[in-house]
Amino acid sequence: MPWSWVQKADNNSEWLSAKIKEWTIQQETWKQQLLLEPEDLSSTVDMERLFETFPMIGGLDITPDKEQDDIAYVGIVVLSSKSLQVKYCQTHCVKLQVPYVPGFLGFREAPALINAVECLKREKVDCFPQVLLVDGNGILHPRGFGSACQVGLSLNLPTIGVAKSLLSVDGLNTLQIKEQICEEGKRWLPLLGSSNRVLGAALLSNECVKRPIFVSVGYRIKLLEAINLVFHTCRYRIPEPIRIADKISRQASSRDFC
């Protein structure tokens, strides 16, 4: 544990309690800026129009260092949304400022993800994406504001949260959802919590996949658009922008990039 965190850990319960209160207020405040609109999940999406709106699609993932808690490696990838041809691929070694606290992952990881996108804009603006897939959650989150929302709001860029596992949110049950999607033979199911709000969707990304991924709106995009983009970019279980970003960040973590 870094020395700054060790110092805080001496009064850990007080420090952590204060941070959680601060972060909770921040998430609730930021959530009001998402401007979510009612979803019509029975409509259809014009993929050609979607490709015109989002000609480049980015992916972000982060891998922690195996030995140092405050070091991680961000993978950022940009693909042509229609052809899925890789246009940009880079890793960044970053220093994380706060420890991991469940439900507040964005405060640990989002600053590093945002910085990677801002570096791309400075270095190669012609590869700047119009939408980002973030390994994490959007509004499918205990307070409706996951790391994908935090990244999108900060950058004012459409974002989609794509998670490999389901958070315990609004009464959603992972096992029940997996059974339902397999029994009904569907490729995706809307995630309706006890509040009867659509929080996202469970997707079986291709015909060989048995475990769903969980997609939710991050910022400035409709859920149905997000679902269609994720399906289009899935050659395997995980959409290509995130799969490649994960791969290169893991490769970086196995070497000394700092």
Side-chain angles (χ1 to χ4, degrees):
M1 184 181 287
W3 176 242
S4 61
W5 295 358
V6 171
Q7 287 177 306
K8 288 171 181 146
D10 290 340
N11 299 301
N12 190 51
S13 59
E14 280 185 29
W15 176 80
L16 194 55
S17 177
K19 292 308 289 183
I20 287 173
K21 284 180 182 176
E22 175 190 326
W23 291 341
T24 299
I25 292 168
Q26 199 123 52
Q27 285 178 334
E28 293 292 345
T29 302
W30 285 339
K31 184 171 68 174
Q32 307 309 313
Q33 300 177 47
L34 294 181
L35 303 175
L36 300 172
E37 299 176 20
E39 295 277 3
D40 178 9
L41 298 182
S42 64
S43 61
T44 57
V45 171
D46 182 340
M47 290 303 294
E48 288 303 321
R49 185 195 64 78
L50 209 55
F51 295 145
E52 288 173 9
T53 305
F54 307 117
M56 300 257 238
I57 184 166
L60 290 167
D61 203 350
I62 186 166
T63 299
D65 188 83
K66 293 178 176 64
E67 297 179 359
Q68 302 178 76
D69 288 343
D70 62 338
I71 298 296
Y73 303 87
V74 174
I76 177 168
V77 174
V78 180
L79 285 71
S80 162
S81 63
K82 189 169 185 178
S83 68
L84 302 186
Q85 181 182 0
V86 176
K87 300 292 185 180
Y88 179 89
C89 193
Q90 187 60 268
T91 54
H92 298 267
C93 177
V94 298
K95 191 172 179 67
L96 303 172
Q97 299 302 313
V98 296
Y100 169 65
V101 180
F104 300 94
L105 184 64
F107 291 94
R108 176 172 167 84
E109 295 185 351
L113 302 177
I114 291 162
N115 184 63
V117 178
E118 290 173 337
C119 285
L120 162 61
K121 192 170 188 178
R122 289 193 299 270
E123 293 169 6
K124 203 160 185 183
V125 70
D126 58 316
C127 288
F128 195 74
Q130 290 74 40
V131 61
L132 287 170
L133 301 186
V134 179
D135 179 39
N137 287 288
I139 65 169
L140 183 58
H141 179 270
R143 282 166 301 285
F145 196 89
S147 52
C149 299
Q150 196 163 332
V151 170
L153 182 63
S154 178
L155 293 167
N156 191 26
L157 194 65
T159 51
I160 301 166
V162 182
K164 302 176 188 76
S165 57
L166 181 64
L167 287 177
S168 179
V169 179
D170 200 19
L172 292 173
N173 182 287
T174 305
L175 184 59
Q176 188 179 51
I177 289 162
K178 285 181 180 178
E179 288 176 351
Q180 186 180 356
I181 199 169
C182 290
E183 284 172 6
E184 295 186 13
K186 295 180 178 177
R187 292 289 303 279
W188 69 275
L189 284 175
L191 296 173
L192 286 139
S194 335
S195 59
N196 210 34
R197 288 175 53 240
V198 177
L199 301 175
L203 274 65
L204 292 175
S205 44
N206 65 52
E207 293 175 359
C208 302
V209 168
K210 302 299 181 187
R211 291 179 300 146
I213 55 174
F214 304 96
V215 173
S216 57
V217 169
Y219 184 62
R220 283 181 46 206
I221 193 165
K222 292 279 197 177
L223 179 59
L224 207 54
E225 293 176 329
I227 290 168
N228 277 269
L229 279 175
V230 169
F231 268 131
H232 174 72
T233 57
C234 281
R235 288 174 173 162
Y236 306 97
R237 178 177 177 240
I238 306 301
E240 286 296 283
I242 290 178
R243 189 186 71 82
I244 299 170
D246 173 69
K247 181 179 178 181
I248 63 173
S249 67
R250 288 180 186 278
Q251 288 173 341
S253 73
S254 67
R255 305 192 293 274
D256 184 10
F257 264 49
C258 298

